[in-house]
């Protein structure tokens, strides 16, 4: 079964890159990220941005996001090697 990720902003505007294509998405928008697509989400705008992400089938859970949050919510730049290790441990392939 193919995995997809549905990403829907709940607040603010996010810049989402999927396989080299940039999408500005805000409240009311949704993007689908097909399995294997290289993607990332950024808040390049003023204010808070929050989003709901649904993975089908559920392949990573809450613990993945908790571990990533511990690495990225620090002063300065996050430890990219640690992020890569977390991703690999949870079955994701860093680009």
């Amino acid at each position: 079964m193919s995995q997809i990720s549905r990403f829907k902003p709940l607040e603010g505007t996010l810049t989402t890159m999927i396989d080299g294509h940039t999408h500005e998405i805000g409240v009311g928008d949704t993007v689908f990220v097909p399995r294997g697509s290289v993607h990332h989400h950024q808040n390049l705008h003023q204010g808070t941005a929050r989003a709901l992400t649904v993975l089908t089938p559920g392949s990573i859970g809450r613990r993945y996001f908790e571990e990533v949050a511990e690495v990225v919510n620090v002063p300065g730049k996050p430890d990219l090697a640690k992020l890569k290790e977390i991703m690999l441990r949870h079955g994701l392939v860093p680009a």
Side-chain angles (χ1 to χ4, degrees):
M1 176 183 283
S2 293
Q3 176 178 339
I4 62 166
S5 173
R6 178 178 170 208
F7 189 79
K8 181 176 184 69
L10 302 173
E11 177 181 355
T13 301
L14 290 154
T15 302
T16 298
M17 177 86 67
I18 304 170
D19 290 332
H21 300 281
T22 302
H23 308 271
E24 292 290 321
I25 56 173
V27 176
D29 297 329
T30 302
V31 294
F32 292 92
V33 182
R35 180 179 179 84
S37 295
V38 175
H39 65 282
H40 71 274
H41 312 285
Q42 297 183 133
N43 180 3
L44 300 177
H45 304 277
Q46 295 294 320
T48 300
R50 295 182 317 128
L52 173 66
T53 301
V54 177
L55 302 175
T56 306
S59 59
I60 57 175
R62 179 181 180 135
R63 188 66 194 135
Y64 166 76
F65 294 101
E66 290 172 344
E67 291 179 37
V68 168
E70 290 173 11
V71 175
V72 300
N73 292 322
V74 296
K77 294 185 177 185
D79 182 339
L80 297 181
K82 179 119 180 143
L83 285 173
K84 181 177 180 179
E85 183 272 322
I86 292 168
M87 292 177 74
L88 290 170
R89 193 163 20 86
H90 286 271
L92 301 174
V93 180

